[in-house]
Amino acid sequence: MSELKTAPTRGAKAAGATADYLDQRTGIGNAVKFFARKVFPDHWSFFLGEIALYSFVTLLVSGVFLTLFFVPSMAETHYEGPWPSMNGVEMSEAFSSTLRLSFEVRGGLLMRQIHHWAALIFMASIVVHMFRVFFTGAFRKPREINWLVGFVLLILGLAAGFSGYSLPDDVLSGNGLRITDGVVKAIPIIGSYLSYFVFGGEFPGTDLIPRLFTVHILLVPGLILALIGLHLFLMVMHKHTQYPGSGRTNTNVVGYPALPAYAGKLLFNFFVVFGVIALMAGTMSINPVWNYGPYDPSPVSAGAQPDWYMLFLEGSLRLMPGQTEIMLGSYTLSLNVIIPAMVVPGILFTLLGAYPFIESFATGDKSEHHVLDRPRNRPFRTAFGVSLLVAFAILVLAGSNDLIATHFHLSINDITWAFRVLIFLGPWFAFVVTKRICLGLQRKDRELVLHGHETGRIVRYASGEYIEVHKPLDAHERWLRVQHEAIRPLEIEPAEDSRGVRRKGYKADRLRQRLSQLFYEDRVEPVTPAELAAAHAAHGHHDDHAVEGSHGVPAQVGAGSPASETTADERNH
């Protein structure tokens, strides 16, 4: 039978003509072919970066709506509207327009809450995504620049969040700006001048809200959008990393093509993220500024908390003793502000941003890596990351010390001193424990590869011999546990050559060696093929397959039999 051929519709002809027109003038066809054939691996943790991207898209859409109704002015007015407790109250135009947007603009409150929840999820997904990249070693060559791009995105996210929740000019945001003014004034020499410039006079001034508005809707989003584009471009250029497994190497990518499989998943994931944010905004109230009232610089309220991603800075300021001020003649050096607000965050963020280069220097590794690490196989890196997270967590909790005291009926002084001790001991303890756990998991992997999984079966042969039956690992599971590279501390040449002349560059080599020892001195070597062959030769008759194929049928078999229990006791002794 001959096949029936249907003529193309008018719409298909128009689409084809349009595609041909664009291809001849832009060469877009080659780009579409490239991206359509691009292969992406499939793993749930890769969704974390997508959540950040989709949250930012949600922020842009909701932000455009809010911009149409918000008035970025600190001019004074008296509120008259549907919220009766605020009627007649003197406030800024910014706060008044926020109330009007919440209660008088159709859908305004929903869009405000969508915007705020999206901002919180945006920052949370960036943090979690960065630590997924950190713990799996996805920052290694050739992705060091992309790590720095993500790091700058984190800093810009903090700037966007701070400038955004300061715009309503309510009591909560005003207290945050008061702290900002104190931090700026603590900068040696130029602090007071810088504060006067930022606020347009003495705090709170009259120019800050318009300036923050410009920063929030124009400067920071533009930079974030440009860096997201660069981040995605570098990801596509370098190809996506993939988790270790059989068949996965540094020269291939195992996954799905961008079109149609991956593109369909991306679109579906976007609607899931947007739907969850909309559901949260419609059911969970956030930042109800009408309960706080307009900002008044004269009183200082207790219990004021910034959004979660700024709590670490709040906690750092609360933990610092207030007696650490130094008088230099007529000048006061406010170390009680400089250290917690500048030095501590500077150290934490510098370590986070520079870590890929520190690790590369310690290993001397110049090769490309496209297969991710299992966190257990890099004990120092994993322990360092956990200790950094613990330090941030302690500072976040310290930023809520007053609420912890009131909710749990504890002394705020005792809580503060407990956090002061924990900020030094907590990261160290987390580092030691995490490192020991990683080494223990590596030893477990060696044991599994050499002896297989314990089945709980005890077998007695006719000769009277008792053995515990093990189930051998299949090839895929064995490869997962032995494929990682064994990195050892660097060996360097002696300080002096054969003629007794001191070698140039020895100090730098010695520093690298010490750093390498810190990273890799404590390690567990992966099983080698020779060790695996020797283990199979020595214990092969303990394998499940060997027992099933043997003619020495056991007289007692089973995990719960008396013979098995006696044998287990004997083995323990």
Side-chain angles (χ1 to χ4, degrees):
M1 298 177 64
S2 61
E3 296 182 358
L4 296 177
K5 296 183 179 179
T6 58
T9 63
R10 182 178 300 178
K13 289 181 178 180
T18 303
D20 184 62
Y21 178 89
L22 292 175
D23 185 39
Q24 291 182 20
R25 288 157 179 80
T26 63
I28 195 173
N30 293 328
V32 171
K33 288 180 182 179
F34 173 78
F35 284 106
R37 296 172 182 173
K38 191 73 176 177
V39 176
F40 292 90
D42 188 37
H43 193 272
W44 66 266
S45 65
F46 300 147
F47 182 48
L48 298 171
E50 295 179 32
I51 294 175
L53 175 62
Y54 303 149
S55 300
F56 182 69
V57 173
T58 305
L59 283 168
L60 291 180
V61 174
S62 57
V64 170
F65 179 90
L66 298 178
T67 304
L68 300 176
F69 301 97
F70 181 75
V71 180
S73 171
M74 299 183 73
E76 296 297 327
T77 185
H78 289 81
Y79 176 75
E80 296 294 337
W83 191 253
S85 63
M86 289 291 169
N87 280 332
V89 175
E90 186 178 14
M91 60 185 65
S92 66
E93 288 280 3
F95 189 80
S96 177
S97 65
T98 304
L99 294 181
R100 185 167 59 254
L101 198 152
S102 301
F103 299 117
E104 300 179 51
V105 176
R106 189 179 298 274
L109 181 58
L110 177 63
M111 296 302 288
R112 274 194 64 231
Q113 301 201 148
I114 285 178
H115 194 74
H116 205 131
W117 279 118
L120 297 182
I121 293 175
F122 175 65
M123 289 304 303
S125 55
I126 285 181
V127 171
V128 178
H129 175 64
M130 282 195 69
F131 274 97
R132 196 279 300 174
V133 171
F134 180 87
F135 286 122
T136 58
F139 54 76
R140 293 172 296 172
K141 183 181 177 181
R143 297 176 179 83
E144 300 97 332
I145 295 178
N146 217 6
W147 169 265
L148 291 179
V149 171
F151 176 74
V152 176
L153 279 172
L154 175 65
I155 303 300
L156 289 175
L158 295 175
F162 173 77
S163 60
Y165 73 64
S166 299
L167 288 178
D169 198 31
D170 60 303
V171 168
L172 184 62
S173 64
N175 276 279
L177 291 174
R178 181 197 296 273
I179 295 173
T180 303
D181 178 55
V183 172
V184 171
K185 286 180 177 177
I187 299 175
I189 302 176
I190 64 172
S192 58
Y193 302 100
L194 190 60
S195 171
Y196 196 87
F197 168 75
V198 170
F199 291 93
E202 280 296 327
F203 176 83
T206 58
D207 298 337
L208 184 63
I209 296 299
R211 291 175 178 176
L212 284 178
F213 184 72
T214 303
V215 169
H216 184 69
I217 72 163
L218 182 62
L219 180 60
V220 174
L223 292 174
I224 291 178
L225 197 59
L227 288 178
I228 287 178
L230 178 59
H231 191 72
L232 296 176
F233 171 77
L234 291 174
M235 183 196 72
V236 172
M237 184 179 70
H238 295 146
K239 74 184 180 182
H240 207 294
T241 55
Q242 56 187 341
Y243 282 92
S246 56
R248 300 173 182 178
T249 67
N250 284 319
T251 58
N252 69 356
V253 179
V254 179
Y256 299 96
L259 292 175
Y262 206 77
K265 291 183 63 175
L266 293 179
L267 187 61
F268 173 78
N269 291 340
F270 168 74
F271 286 115
V272 168
V273 172
F274 182 82
V276 170
I277 293 175
L279 180 64
M280 294 173 65
T283 56
M284 292 182 280
S285 178
I286 188 170
N287 198 25
V289 294
W290 50 89
N291 289 336
Y292 310 144
Y295 179 61
D296 183 354
S298 56
V300 178
S301 63
Q305 303 290 308
D307 283 339
W308 72 267
Y309 48 84
M310 296 298 293
L311 262 178
F312 77 95
L313 186 59
E314 176 83 6
S316 181
L317 287 166
R318 293 189 183 192
L319 291 186
M320 189 68 187
Q323 298 84 6
T324 51
E325 287 187 345
I326 299 178
M327 297 297 299
L328 300 176
S330 60
Y331 184 81
T332 302
L333 189 62
S334 301
L335 295 180
N336 57 336
V337 178
I338 294 174
I339 293 176
M342 303 176 198
V343 176
V344 172
I347 292 174
L348 293 176
F349 281 109
T350 300
L351 288 175
L352 184 62
Y355 184 88
F357 306 95
I358 298 174
E359 182 175 297
S360 176
F361 177 77
T363 60
D365 185 11
K366 304 299 181 182
S367 58
E368 291 191 2
H369 297 275
H370 302 291
V371 177
L372 300 173
D373 289 327
R374 301 175 77 203
R376 67 182 64 183
N377 293 332
R378 296 291 180 264
F380 181 89
R381 180 203 299 158
T382 304
F384 177 79
V386 171
S387 65
L388 204 61
L389 282 174
V390 169
F392 274 104
I394 292 172
L395 293 178
V396 166
L397 291 174
S400 305
N401 60 351
D402 52 346
L403 296 181
I404 295 174
T406 55
H407 281 68
F408 295 97
H409 307 289
L410 300 172
S411 167
I412 191 171
N413 292 326
D414 293 342
I415 293 172
T416 302
W417 273 106
F419 283 132
R420 285 173 178 171
V421 174
L422 282 176
I423 195 60
F424 293 101
L425 297 183
W428 170 82
F429 181 76
F431 180 90
V432 172
V433 171
T434 304
K435 189 174 182 180
R436 303 316 303 175
I437 290 175
C438 290
L439 293 172
L441 290 173
Q442 285 184 278
R443 294 188 185 96
K444 181 181 178 182
D445 282 347
R446 279 188 60 89
E447 181 72 17
L448 285 175
V449 171
L450 293 174
H451 304 293
H453 293 286
E454 294 184 0
T455 63
R457 295 177 60 203
I458 304 299
V459 174
R460 187 185 71 181
Y461 285 101
S463 62
E465 178 188 8
Y466 286 94
I467 66 167
E468 180 184 7
V469 180
H470 290 78
K471 179 182 177 183
L473 276 64
D474 59 39
H476 300 282
E477 190 176 3
R478 185 184 303 116
W479 174 253
L480 179 66
R481 287 170 166 78
V482 301
Q483 52 78 35
H484 62 280
E485 181 184 359
I487 302 180
R488 300 176 178 87
L490 295 175
E491 298 290 339
I492 62 173
E493 297 179 1
E496 298 178 353
D497 58 20
S498 58
R499 296 173 296 175
V501 179
R502 189 168 183 84
R503 180 171 60 86
K504 291 183 178 180
Y506 173 75
K507 290 185 177 180
D509 288 348
R510 181 58 179 157
L511 175 62
R512 173 177 288 185
Q513 185 186 44
R514 289 178 178 176
L515 195 60
S516 179
Q517 289 173 344
L518 177 66
F519 273 60
Y520 302 112
E521 190 170 26
D522 295 330
R523 67 189 186 281
V524 177
E525 298 283 347
V527 176
T528 64
E531 289 177 322
L532 184 60
H536 283 179
H539 304 287
H541 67 290
H542 288 193
D543 290 346
D544 201 6
H545 298 302
V547 172
E548 295 296 336
S550 67
H551 298 289
V553 180
Q556 297 265 2
V557 180
S561 64
S564 65
E565 293 172 5
T566 303
T567 306
D569 291 338
E570 292 172 354
R571 291 177 67 251
N572 290 334
H573 289 298

